[in-house]
Amino acid sequence: MHLNTPEARWKLNLTVLGDNPIFFPEENIQLSGANFQGSPVSLPMDMAGAAITMVCVLSERRMNRLNNPALSVGLPAFLTKGAGMFSGLMLSQYTADTLIVEQRILSAPASIQSIPAAADQEDFVSMGMNTAIKNFQILDNAYGILGIELMAAAQALDFRDYKFGIGVTAAKEVIRRHVAFLEIDRPLYNDHTTMKNLVKSGNILDEVEK
């Protein structure tokens, strides 16, 4: 492989990640040893999945503080006016918890799950593709979990009489354009889906950063 084009240098970077190439700098040539190993990619990807899951666990714990009257400093239980008659956002927390359990299962590292193949020629495999596939689901769940927390936060703000910061106010305004205050119980799956898509779109972050 000649190294005098951007495409060649890009391929070289990928090769160095998981090969044992031989370099001939005088001839500007690199020869692949074809002993490919994707662990330098799969290990960080496993860590990324675990990190996203950890962020979501923190998100759910913040929502728990909003729902729990023993921890919420004056907010009504489950963020509803009809305590005892209405469930409020109790079931939204169940939904977030379910998504996190799935994330935790998926966060088991794929990079240690090698199975030898090809008459043991492929004696150690990084399983990086499995890591990539499960990270898609971990990230998709994260949008939903963060969306539920933000929906709960907007609900909590509607019970407060404080003057909020500029960024908080902007975030709440975006949320309220898509999800109404929960006055009485209603099926919340549409709100959850709406909030998930809103987080994924980045619109809340964009308005806060403005």
Side-chain angles (χ1 to χ4, degrees):
M1 178 194 298
H2 290 276
L3 307 179
N4 52 4
T5 67
E7 293 79 10
R9 288 190 289 273
W10 179 76
K11 290 178 182 178
L12 172 62
N13 289 334
L14 291 181
T15 304
V16 172
L17 281 173
D19 193 13
N20 57 346
I22 301 171
F23 295 96
F24 297 92
E26 295 81 7
E27 287 79 19
N28 195 30
I29 292 175
Q30 172 264 328
L31 299 178
S32 170
N35 292 310
F36 305 110
Q37 177 49 250
S39 292
V41 176
S42 63
L43 277 169
M45 290 175 65
D46 273 335
M47 291 180 64
I52 294 169
T53 299
M54 184 183 71
V55 168
C56 292
V57 171
L58 291 168
S59 172
E60 189 277 338
R61 288 293 83 196
R62 289 191 296 265
M63 183 188 178
N64 180 69
R65 294 185 69 89
L66 296 174
N67 269 346
N68 187 345
L71 301 172
S72 64
V73 194
L75 292 172
F78 307 112
L79 299 174
T80 178
K81 294 178 180 179
M85 295 188 299
F86 300 141
S87 296
L89 294 185
M90 179 194 301
L91 298 183
S92 293
Q93 186 176 9
Y94 291 178
T95 302
D97 289 347
T98 299
L99 294 172
I100 287 172
V101 168
E102 185 175 65
Q103 285 181 315
R104 285 173 167 172
I105 293 169
L106 292 170
S107 291
S111 54
I112 62 172
Q113 306 293 339
S114 174
I115 299 177
D120 277 352
Q121 177 175 295
E122 305 277 345
D123 61 336
F124 186 87
V125 184
S126 69
M127 300 296 175
M129 182 57 70
N130 300 70
T131 305
I133 291 170
K134 67 189 183 71
N135 276 4
F136 276 118
Q137 187 61 46
I138 290 172
L139 182 59
D140 191 63
N141 286 11
Y143 293 133
I145 295 161
L146 294 172
I148 288 172
E149 182 200 354
L150 288 168
M151 185 174 74
Q155 183 82 1
L157 291 175
D158 281 329
F159 285 107
R160 300 294 199 195
D161 295 324
Y162 308 145
K163 178 177 173 58
F164 308 120
I166 297 173
V168 171
T169 301
K172 181 175 177 290
E173 288 174 353
V174 176
I175 293 167
R176 282 288 169 257
R177 288 200 291 267
H178 295 83
V179 173
F181 177 78
L182 185 64
E183 187 73 33
I184 61 174
D185 280 354
R186 63 176 182 259
L188 291 173
Y189 58 87
N190 286 328
D191 293 337
H192 293 166
T193 302
T194 298
M195 286 301 304
K196 174 183 176 178
N197 292 332
L198 185 58
V199 171
K200 189 174 182 178
S201 73
N203 287 346
I204 299 174
L205 182 61
D206 289 342
E207 290 303 312
V208 170
E209 288 182 339
K210 288 179 183 178

